[in-house]
Amino acid sequence: MTHVEDELRTQPECWTRAAAEAPGHRAALPAPGERAAFVGCGTSYFMARAAAALREGTGQGETDAYAASEFPHGRPYDRVVALTRSGTTTEVLELLGKVRGRLRTTALTADPRTPVAETADDLVVLDYADERSVVQTRFATTALTLLRAHLGLHTDAVTADARTALTGELPQGLVESAQFTFLGRGWTVGLADEAALKLREAAGAWTESYPAMEYRHGPISVTTHGTATWMLGEAPPGLADEVRATGARWIAGGLDPLAELVRAQRLAVAVAAARGLDPDRPRHLTRSVILAP
């Protein structure tokens, strides 16, 4: 079993622990009414976007999300929350250093013995969700679970859906698809982007991701036989029929969207195996992006 496959299977236990610990991290996370920004790189950026949409959607405060390298330094915030598994990513450390003393910062990380511990004002450590693999699975979803729980949006049903996602069979023939498109709405747009990234990283697959309504505005033109279009969350009315009319396969996400992401992670591993690839050794990638001065 690969590292990534072994790690993704532990997500229900990680989520249960994160949800239980969330109240103890209340002081380090945005309070209701605060203006907050979530930042990250790669997978962590997609989780940041999901968290920001959830927080603002519940009316707890104006919330934005940025790739760490694109943070608008002229914009005022009460708190910046950085998601960084390794705690060593160059862009995140540079951002936290630049805003230090001006904006309150929190880092969600898997390793407290890294430079982020000295750069952020507050630290939330999810060391039990750390990973050996380059391809992120459980740290990202555990961090988002912690944030969902902080917002009062996590339930035991979410974890139950994750267990279902791990035990249920993937749709027959899905692995052989030539192209994969993931769609989301609201907070699940970030999840759709992350699902597509998993297929690219682990399996070198042709994947795309879009807000579901935007899919109609051009991208659907490349959808055809051999395409699998996977909806994370509730689909807009009529979209499933439009996709099927192209000859593509429609995958309706019936589980909690975060659990659907677990299914997509499993698909990434399965596609990699079918193509003779090792998902623990994705091309041109390292576990953390550390840029030379």
Side-chain angles (χ1 to χ4, degrees), residues 231-258:
M231 183 72 212
L232 281 74
E234 184 177 356
L239 183 57
D241 290 337
E242 292 178 27
V243 170
R244 292 191 185 102
T246 69
R249 182 172 191 168
W250 174 262
I251 307 295
L255 303 174
D256 180 87
L258 195 57

Side-chain angles (χ1 to χ4, degrees), residues 6-47:
D6 181 53
E7 289 159 357
L8 71 84
R9 292 182 179 277
T10 66
Q11 288 175 107
E13 292 76 21
C14 290
W15 296 6
T16 298
R17 182 169 174 178
E21 292 179 353
H25 296 301
R26 185 176 292 113
L29 298 173
E34 285 187 341
R35 192 163 191 258
F38 290 86
V39 300
C41 299
T43 289
S44 293
Y45 168 51
F46 297 144
M47 296 300 103

Side-chain angles (χ1 to χ4, degrees), residues 138-155:
R138 71 183 179 192
F139 174 77
T141 61
T142 300
L144 185 55
T145 296
L146 177 80
L147 294 169
R148 289 179 83 184
H150 174 67
L151 296 170
L153 300 176
H154 177 82
T155 67

Side-chain angles (χ1 to χ4, degrees), residues 10 14 85 110 126-131 137-140 142-143:
T10 66
C14 290
R85 176 181 65 172
L126 306 175
D127 51 359
Y128 54 88
D130 202 358
E131 298 158 327
T137 55
R138 71 183 179 192
F139 174 77
T142 300

Side-chain angles (χ1 to χ4, degrees), residues 46 193 195-209 268 282:
F46 297 144
D193 289 340
L197 180 62
K198 291 292 87 98
L199 268 293
R200 287 194 290 271
E201 289 178 332
W206 174 18
T207 58
E208 299 178 344
S209 53

Side-chain angles (χ1 to χ4, degrees), residues 67-182:
S69 59
E70 299 299 319
F71 184 79
H73 287 274
R75 192 167 294 181
Y77 290 102
D78 297 306
R79 184 178 294 270
V80 175
V81 179
L83 282 66
T84 170
R85 176 181 65 172
S86 69
T88 60
T89 304
T90 297
E91 299 100 299
V92 172
L93 295 177
E94 288 182 348
L95 166 60
L96 294 176
K98 287 180 180 178
V99 303
R100 189 174 180 84
R102 182 169 58 87
L103 302 176
R104 190 75 185 176
T105 60
T106 297
L108 272 66
T109 186
D111 190 349
R113 298 160 299 182
T114 56
V116 75
E118 300 176 359
T119 313
D121 297 312
D122 296 301
L123 204 64
V124 176
V125 180
L126 306 175
D127 51 359
Y128 54 88
D130 202 358
E131 298 158 327
R132 295 179 63 183
S133 59
V134 173
V135 175
Q136 280 200 55
T137 55
R138 71 183 179 192
F139 174 77
T141 61
T142 300
L144 185 55
T145 296
L146 177 80
L147 294 169
R148 289 179 83 184
H150 174 67
L151 296 170
L153 300 176
H154 177 82
T155 67
D156 291 341
V158 176
T159 305
D161 275 0
R163 298 187 191 280
T164 299
L166 289 168
T167 57
E169 296 292 329
L170 293 172
Q172 189 173 5
L174 182 61
V175 169
E176 288 73 37
S177 299
Q179 189 264 342
F180 302 89
T181 298
F182 294 92

